[in-house]
């Protein structure tokens, strides 16, 4: 008996992957905000899954950590117990990454062998596997940048790591949606293109959010709606030479772009919502637009409070989760107006 191709089990597999990526992004946010990301300075694919099990192993890991800049310049006051706290989050982050790999690879092989995937889904799944592997590489590449001469990872590499995680989730959700909604329909290409541009606008904002996180720019200018001293654009925004470095390396400049571009994201999504409501909508198209409308204001508010309260752990994580949900809603919206 030939199994039905692209059945519900395949959809559940893809959605499980989405949930795991979401969990990994949340744990990754906690790892970053607790300065835990450089606590494990080596990479062991198999044995690294098991944490230290006795005091001798813990001491060995702590001594290894003491050889690198984060301990020497930032955490030189840490005791072994302090180290255990930051080690946990980085260890959990890496373990979840391995679990995601297993959850993707083994069911994929099973579905492939039992011929439960169509040719198109096989190709899309291979792309997802490549994205996942690339995401793992970027995580290692990011950590490596913080083990040389400064106790921080490169904000460029952090942005690449975080953005790739978001896009891997979006791609996985897209493939699942292709299977949930297999029937094609007539689309309004002009409106579809508007949503696509909105998608690019949102991704740009997410990249700058990662820049803010990587440079700890959220700890500056903790006022709203203006920056320090009641200024819309503080003079520290443009003090770097040459000027272009203010756009990509100056923490004040990067915060200014991120907080100002937030208005553009809101305006763009409002335009999408108003223009979309003029069309004859299906139930899911209507829900997609409404979810965008609600989530963009929730995310904007989270961003404001995160700045005002100087990035407390729970708000920093909530703001990152808000970006994740907003990208999910934008992905769902683009899909519903594309196919």
């Amino acid at each position: 008996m030939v199994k039905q191709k692209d059945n519900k089990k395949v959809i559940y597999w893809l959605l499980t992957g989405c949930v795991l990526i979401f969990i990994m992004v949340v744990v990754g946010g906690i790892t970053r905000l607790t300065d835990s990301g450089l606590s494990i300075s080596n990479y062991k694919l198999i044995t690294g899954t098991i944490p230290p099990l006795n005091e001798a192993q813990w001491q060995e890991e702590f001594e290894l950590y003491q050889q690198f800049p984060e301990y020497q310049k930032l955490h030189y006051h840490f005791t072994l117990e302090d180290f255990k706290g930051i080690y946990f989050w980085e260890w959990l982050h890496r373990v979840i990454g391995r679990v995601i790999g297993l959850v993707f690879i083994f069911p994929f092989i099973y579905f492939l062998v039992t011929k439960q995937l169509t040719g198109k889904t096989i190709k899309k799944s291979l792309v997802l596997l490549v994205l996942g592997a690339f995401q793992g590489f970027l995580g290692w590449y990011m950590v490596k940048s913080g083990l040389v001469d400064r106790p921080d990872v490169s904000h460029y590499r952090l942005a690449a790591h975080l953005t790739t995680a978001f896009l891997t989730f979006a791609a996985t959700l897209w493939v699942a949606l292709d299977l949930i909604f297999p029937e094609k329909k007539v689309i309004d290409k002009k409106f579809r293109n508007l949503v696509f541009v909105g998608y690019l606008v949102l991704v740009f904002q997410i990249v700058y959010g990662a820049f803010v996180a990587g440079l700890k720019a959220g700890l500056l200018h903790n006022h709203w709606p203006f920056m320090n001293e009641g200024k819309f654009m503080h003079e520290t925004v443009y003090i770097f030479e040459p000027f272009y470095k203010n756009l990509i390396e100056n923490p004040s400049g990067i915060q200014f772009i991120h907080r100002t571009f937030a208005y553009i994201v809101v305006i763009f999504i409002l335009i999408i919502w108003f223009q979309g409501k003029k069309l004859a909508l299906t139930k899911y198209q209507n829900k997609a637009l409404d979810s965008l409308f609600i989530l963009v204001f929730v995310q904007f508010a989270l961003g404001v409070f995160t700045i005002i309260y100087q990035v407390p752990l729970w708000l920093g994580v909530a703001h990152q989760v808000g970006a994740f949900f907003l990208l999910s809603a934008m992905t769902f919206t683009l899909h519903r107006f594309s196919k």
Side-chain angles (χ1 to χ4, degrees), residues 269-327:
I269 288 179
L270 284 177
I271 291 171
I272 289 171
W273 188 82
F274 281 115
Q275 291 298 113
K277 289 294 182 174
K278 295 177 183 178
L279 305 175
L281 302 175
T282 66
K283 177 179 72 173
Y284 288 109
Q285 287 174 334
N286 201 47
K287 286 184 176 180
L289 290 174
D290 288 343
S291 65
L292 268 185
F293 183 87
I294 294 167
L295 286 170
V296 74
F297 285 108
V298 171
Q299 177 64 354
F300 187 90
L302 285 171
V304 170
F305 286 121
T306 301
I307 282 290
I308 291 174
Y309 291 104
Q310 296 183 298
V311 201
L313 176 62
W314 74 272
L315 261 178
V317 173
H319 188 48
Q320 184 165 301
V321 169
F324 199 95
F325 283 147
L326 186 56
L327 184 71

Side-chain angles (χ1 to χ4, degrees), residues 39-300:
S39 58
I40 305 177
S41 49
N42 54 16
Y43 185 82
K44 299 175 182 176
L45 181 61
I46 306 300
T47 58
T49 307
I50 304 171
L53 299 176
N54 54 53
E55 285 301 304
Q57 291 179 356
W58 273 115
Q59 193 60 46
E60 184 181 345
E61 285 292 330
F62 189 34
E63 288 173 0
L64 180 62
Y65 175 66
Q66 291 172 329
Q67 297 174 23
F68 294 94
E70 183 173 80
Y71 174 81
Q72 296 165 357
K73 297 180 180 180
L74 188 65
H75 291 161
Y76 47 84
H77 60 285
F78 264 30
T79 65
L80 180 58
E81 290 305 310
D82 294 323
F83 171 69
K84 287 179 180 180
I86 63 171
Y87 185 98
F88 168 76
W89 289 112
E90 176 63 11
W91 171 81
L92 181 61
H93 188 54
R94 295 189 184 196
V95 166
I96 294 171
R98 291 174 172 90
V99 170
I100 291 174
L102 294 175
V103 167
F104 265 89
I105 292 170
F106 285 109
F108 174 68
I109 294 172
Y110 168 75
F111 290 135
L112 202 60
V113 170
T114 55
K115 298 182 179 179
Q116 295 184 54
L117 301 173
T118 61
K120 285 184 178 180
T121 304
I122 291 171
K123 291 176 183 177
K124 293 173 186 176
S125 299
L126 289 172
V127 171
L128 295 180
L129 288 169
V130 170
L131 278 173
F134 184 57
Q135 168 67 3
F137 163 77
L138 285 175
W140 168 83
Y141 187 59
M142 177 187 70
V143 168
K144 190 178 177 183
S145 69
L147 301 175
V148 184
D149 54 8
R150 63 190 188 107
D152 292 299
V153 298
S154 161
H155 69 289
Y156 297 118
R157 297 187 190 186
L158 186 147
H161 182 54
L162 181 63
T163 305
T164 304
F166 275 63
L167 294 180
T168 301
F169 166 84
T172 307
L173 178 59
W174 188 276
V175 176
L177 290 172
D178 279 348
L179 304 184
I180 294 169
F181 301 101
E183 295 181 6
K184 305 291 183 182
K185 61 181 183 298
V186 178
I187 63 169
D188 185 319
K189 291 185 179 179
K190 184 177 179 181
F191 185 74
R192 187 271 315 274
N193 293 342
L194 174 67
V195 177
F196 180 72
V197 174
Y199 201 100
L200 296 179
V201 167
L202 179 58
V203 170
F204 178 87
Q205 178 70 341
I206 289 170
V207 170
Y208 263 84
F211 282 173
V212 169
L215 292 174
K216 295 182 171 61
L219 301 177
L220 307 171
H221 309 294
N222 300 110
H223 305 277
W224 187 83
F226 302 113
M227 301 180 86
N228 287 3
E229 301 164 23
K231 297 177 180 178
F232 174 69
M233 181 187 289
H234 197 264
E235 57 268 16
T236 54
V237 167
Y238 44 84
I239 58 174
F240 278 30
E241 294 290 344
F243 178 78
Y244 78 88
K245 287 196 172 183
N246 292 293
L247 308 178
I248 54 176
E249 293 184 2
N250 178 359
S252 288
I254 284 171
Q255 197 209 94
F256 174 77
I257 292 172
H258 189 58
R259 67 192 287 156
T260 305
F261 206 77
Y263 294 103
I264 296 174
V265 173
V266 171
I267 291 169
F268 224 104
I269 288 179
L270 284 177
I271 291 171
I272 289 171
W273 188 82
F274 281 115
Q275 291 298 113
K277 289 294 182 174
K278 295 177 183 178
L279 305 175
L281 302 175
T282 66
K283 177 179 72 173
Y284 288 109
Q285 287 174 334
N286 201 47
K287 286 184 176 180
L289 290 174
D290 288 343
S291 65
L292 268 185
F293 183 87
I294 294 167
L295 286 170
V296 74
F297 285 108
V298 171
Q299 177 64 354
F300 187 90

